[in-house]
Amino acid sequence: MASSDPSVRAPRASDASASGAPARALATGGAAFSPLYRQIKDLLVQSLDRGEWKPGESIPSELELAARFQVSQGTVRKAIDELAAESVLLRRQGKGTFVATHNEARVRYRFLRLAPDEGEPAPAQSRILECRRVRAPQDVARSLELRAGDSAVLIRRVLSFGDIPTVFDEIWLPGALFRGLTQERLARNEGPLYAFFEAGFGVSMIRADEKLRAVAAEPLTADVLQVPVGTPLMQVDRVSFTYGGRPVEFRRGLYRTDRHHYRNSMN
Amino acid sequence: MASSDPSVRAPRASDASASGAPARALATGGAAFSPLYRQIKDLLVQSLDRGEWKPGESIPSELELAARFQVSQGTVRKAIDELAAESVLLRRQGKGTFVATHNEARVRYRFLRLAPDEGEPAPAQSRILECRRVRAPQDVARSLELRAGDSAVLIRRVLSFGDIPTVFDEIWLPGALFRGLTQERLARNEGPLYAFFEAGFGVSMIRADEKLRAVAAEPLTADVLQVPVGTPLMQVDRVSFTYGGRPVEFRRGLYRTDRHHYRNSMN
DNA sequence: CAGTGGTCTAGACCACGTG
DNA sequence: ACGTGGTCTAGACCACTGC
């Protein structure tokens, strides 16, 4: 880490207390007020986005960051608190603060909400049916903030639990971010897809919005999931976002819910 | 509020710093360690549970609470922070901290996740089909932590959006908590059911767990929702909890998802 | 103007993990 | 023994609200 970091402390309202003059000029250009800890949070997110600290690595200690940004440890702490609450960072007492990974057990089932009706959640077997580059259809392009016709990667896969095919996913990714993604590399990958994306392409999925509905199985889907045509399935449309709220995946999943259910918790 | 509150400060490890002696005895009995701010949080929840502050009312200021519990304002603040993050309390700068209500716009759609495919969320029209006292069936009793055969209230209702029946709910409540709940009172109520429960029976819904699946419409449901038998519907089983994590409602909802979807956000 | 929550700082000590 | 995050305190000032 460079010791002469350009991200120095932004003047803020509180500084007036020392000089008596109401000096106020925010680094963001002065349009919107944002507390110091949130400016620090934004700087941390920018560093994550730039890849300064990679998933699984530890970030500098709170005291180091406080020195770098010229603020108190408490202010850095509050910024990290928010990022930890969003599962972007992970604190481990006595060890440090780490960039979250999609490999850890603690977040492993954060995005896969399908749970077995009986027994414990078990890892799924993934079979890649297809992976090719296509022009983004209009609705996908809109979700991914691409221009219609831009390059995209389309993946079709099936997730099975104990030999029962349960999830049929169609996944669209922005072609520009996933150069070199091939069916071979996908098939070689074990473990969660998102862990593969962050390790192989530097794209971290941080947040996702889903829309769920009940639909009848169409012939193709029915064949893949080995159910009669017309069987009620859950259709899950998801848009996933990376640092800074940029959409980087659109996905349509079709779930069999005869032995599994989609779990959700609200508060 | 009684000025001589019995909930005084519990001795804790940090106190040893003043005396030099490792005095440690937690109010909880000493079994489990819990930081001071969490003990304060528990005391606040107990006060809420007792009804010391009712939904919509303000709780004492941070400084008052700090004086009552003999801790610093910062410790009270951290306890309140957590309760605000859980939407149990609501902070309003310059005004105070308030007990959350199910009437406010901010939390109105916290538990109703069904959103229209087009346009803005609109309030639903509720029609009560049935409200009677029954013995709790075994699975309901287990969800509500009752003994099988205990008294329960069963409500059946339909929610419609613009004359289109969209949700068919079967709701079970513990009979002991909802004495005097009749179909007449229910029908008279406008607005969210949970607001009615908290105002009329002092039962606040704080958290809920849901299990979703896709099912085919059965004849009775098809009739109520005016869809053909066999239409795919979303079945939502919900257990709702009040202060202290006590279950106080089991609900099975069947949703038409031809013009609406169930929205979910993950991070 | 007074009172509320919101932000920021500084310093102390505790609990945990590692060497 | 040391460095990490976790907790707790104390005090300052800011921003918002209502009298």
Side-chain angles (χ1 to χ4, degrees), chain A residues 7 10 17 36 41 45 64 70 75 99 101 105 112 123 126 135 152 160 180 192 202 212 215 219 222 244 247 258-259:
Chain A
S7 324
S17 61
L36 190 49
K41 181 185 175 187
V45 169
E64 274 183 80
Q70 292 287 292
T75 300
V99 183
T101 303
L112 180 55
S126 171
R135 296 187 179 283
S160 300
L212 283 63
V215 300
D258 46 347
R259 282 188 170 79

Side-chain angles (χ1 to χ4, degrees), chain A:
Chain A
M1 151 186 164
S3 61
S4 64
D5 193 283
S7 324
V8 291
R9 179 188 200 170
R12 64 184 201 291
S14 313
D15 287 336
S17 61
S19 64
R24 137 119 37 146
L26 289 167
T28 50
F33 163 78
S34 120
L36 190 49
Y37 74 86
R38 207 170 284 272
Q39 298 177 39
I40 302 299
K41 181 185 175 187
D42 290 343
L43 290 174
L44 292 175
V45 169
Q46 284 170 31
S47 287
L48 289 165
D49 199 8
R50 279 198 309 269
E52 181 173 343
W53 312 303
K54 302 215 180 317
E57 293 178 5
S58 72
I59 70 171
S61 77
E62 296 181 348
L63 279 173
E64 274 183 80
L65 290 170
R68 179 206 286 209
F69 297 129
Q70 292 287 292
V71 298
S72 79
Q73 185 193 14
T75 300
V76 171
R77 170 172 290 274
K78 186 149 185 180
I80 293 180
D81 276 346
E82 290 204 352
L83 291 170
E86 297 166 11
S87 298
V88 171
L89 297 178
L90 208 67
R91 323 186 81 138
R92 281 187 242 171
Q93 185 172 140
K95 299 190 69 174
T97 301
F98 296 78
V99 183
T101 303
H102 282 279
N103 269 320
E104 297 148 275
R106 305 179 48 169
V107 263
R108 182 97 178 228
Y109 296 100
R110 188 153 59 109
F111 288 103
L112 180 55
R113 312 291 289 238
L114 209 59
D117 294 338
E118 316 275 342
E120 287 304 296
Q125 297 84 48
S126 171
R127 186 163 62 92
I128 306 294
L129 305 180
E130 187 177 359
C131 173
R132 57 194 174 93
R133 307 190 90 80
V134 297
R135 296 187 179 283
Q138 189 152 33
D139 56 335
V140 172
R142 193 167 43 245
S143 291
L144 294 181
E145 294 177 6
L146 301 176
R147 282 178 298 268
D150 273 4
S151 161
V153 178
L154 166 60
I155 301 170
R156 287 198 169 94
R157 70 157 184 187
V158 188
L159 293 183
S160 300
F161 295 94
D163 291 339
I164 302 180
T166 308
V167 175
F168 176 35
D169 275 325
E170 272 183 338
I171 302 169
W172 280 271
L173 304 166
L177 292 180
F178 288 87
R179 302 199 181 287
L181 176 55
T182 62
Q183 179 154 0
E184 290 69 42
R185 286 186 65 185
L186 262 177
R188 258 203 310 276
N189 168 62
E190 319 253 340
L193 198 56
Y194 286 175
F196 175 65
F197 287 168
E198 71 189 9
F201 302 89
V203 178
S204 295
M205 308 295 186
I206 296 307
R207 202 175 64 76
D209 286 341
E210 293 192 335
K211 295 182 180 182
L212 283 63
R213 27 173 45 92
V215 300
E218 296 176 358
L220 174 76
T221 311
D223 183 54
V224 171
L225 293 181
Q226 298 175 20
V227 294
V229 171
T231 301
L233 299 175
M234 195 137 80
Q235 174 181 295
V236 181
D237 287 351
R238 172 193 298 180
V239 180
S240 302
F241 303 87
T242 189
Y243 304 116
R246 299 194 307 278
V248 284
E249 180 198 52
F250 174 77
R251 174 189 293 216
R252 169 161 293 175
L254 289 157
Y255 298 179
R256 279 179 63 172
T257 56
D258 46 347
R259 282 188 170 79
H260 293 75
H261 60 268
Y262 183 105
R263 68 192 157 71
N264 195 24
S265 200
M266 308 178 297
N267 62 353

Side-chain angles (χ1 to χ4, degrees), chain B residues 193-255:
Chain B
L193 199 56
Y194 285 174
F196 175 64
F197 288 167
E198 71 189 10
F201 302 89
V203 178
S204 294
M205 308 296 187
I206 295 307
R207 201 176 66 76
D209 286 341
E210 294 192 334
K211 295 182 180 182
L212 284 63
R213 26 173 48 91
V215 300
E218 295 177 1
L220 174 77
T221 310
D223 183 56
V224 170
L225 293 180
Q226 298 175 19
V227 294
V229 170
T231 300
L233 299 174
M234 196 135 80
Q235 174 180 297
V236 182
D237 288 350
R238 173 194 296 178
V239 181
S240 303
F241 303 87
T242 188
Y243 303 116
R246 299 195 305 279
V248 285
E249 180 199 51
F250 174 77
R251 173 190 293 217
R252 169 161 294 176
L254 289 157
Y255 299 179

Side-chain angles (χ1 to χ4, degrees), chain B residues 7 28 39-53 83 243-244:
Chain B
S7 324
T28 50
Q39 299 177 38
I40 301 299
K41 181 185 176 187
D42 289 344
L43 291 174
L44 292 175
V45 169
Q46 284 171 30
S47 289
L48 288 165
D49 200 9
R50 279 198 308 270
E52 181 173 342
W53 314 302
L83 291 170
Y243 303 116

Side-chain angles (χ1 to χ4, degrees), chain B residues 9 12 14 35-37 71-72 75 78 93-95:
Chain B
R9 179 188 200 169
R12 65 186 201 292
S14 312
L36 191 47
Y37 73 86
V71 299
S72 78
T75 301
K78 186 148 186 182
Q93 182 171 141
K95 300 188 68 175

Side-chain angles (χ1 to χ4, degrees), chain B residues 117-250:
Chain B
D117 292 338
E118 315 275 343
E120 288 304 297
Q125 297 84 49
S126 171
R127 186 163 62 92
I128 306 294
L129 304 179
E130 187 177 1
C131 173
R132 59 194 174 91
R133 307 191 90 79
V134 297
R135 296 187 181 283
Q138 190 153 33
D139 56 334
V140 172
R142 192 168 43 244
S143 290
L144 295 180
E145 293 177 7
L146 301 175
R147 281 179 297 267
D150 274 3
S151 162
V153 178
L154 167 60
I155 301 170
R156 287 198 169 92
R157 70 157 183 184
V158 187
L159 293 182
S160 301
F161 296 94
D163 292 338
I164 300 180
T166 307
V167 175
F168 175 35
D169 274 326
E170 272 183 339
I171 302 169
W172 279 269
L173 305 165
L177 292 180
F178 288 88
R179 301 200 180 287
L181 176 56
T182 62
Q183 179 154 1
E184 290 69 42
R185 286 185 67 185
L186 262 178
R188 260 204 310 277
N189 168 62
E190 320 253 342
L193 199 56
Y194 285 174
F196 175 64
F197 288 167
E198 71 189 10
F201 302 89
V203 178
S204 294
M205 308 296 187
I206 295 307
R207 201 176 66 76
D209 286 341
E210 294 192 334
K211 295 182 180 182
L212 284 63
R213 26 173 48 91
V215 300
E218 295 177 1
L220 174 77
T221 310
D223 183 56
V224 170
L225 293 180
Q226 298 175 19
V227 294
V229 170
T231 300
L233 299 174
M234 196 135 80
Q235 174 180 297
V236 182
D237 288 350
R238 173 194 296 178
V239 181
S240 303
F241 303 87
T242 188
Y243 303 116
R246 299 195 305 279
V248 285
E249 180 199 51
F250 174 77

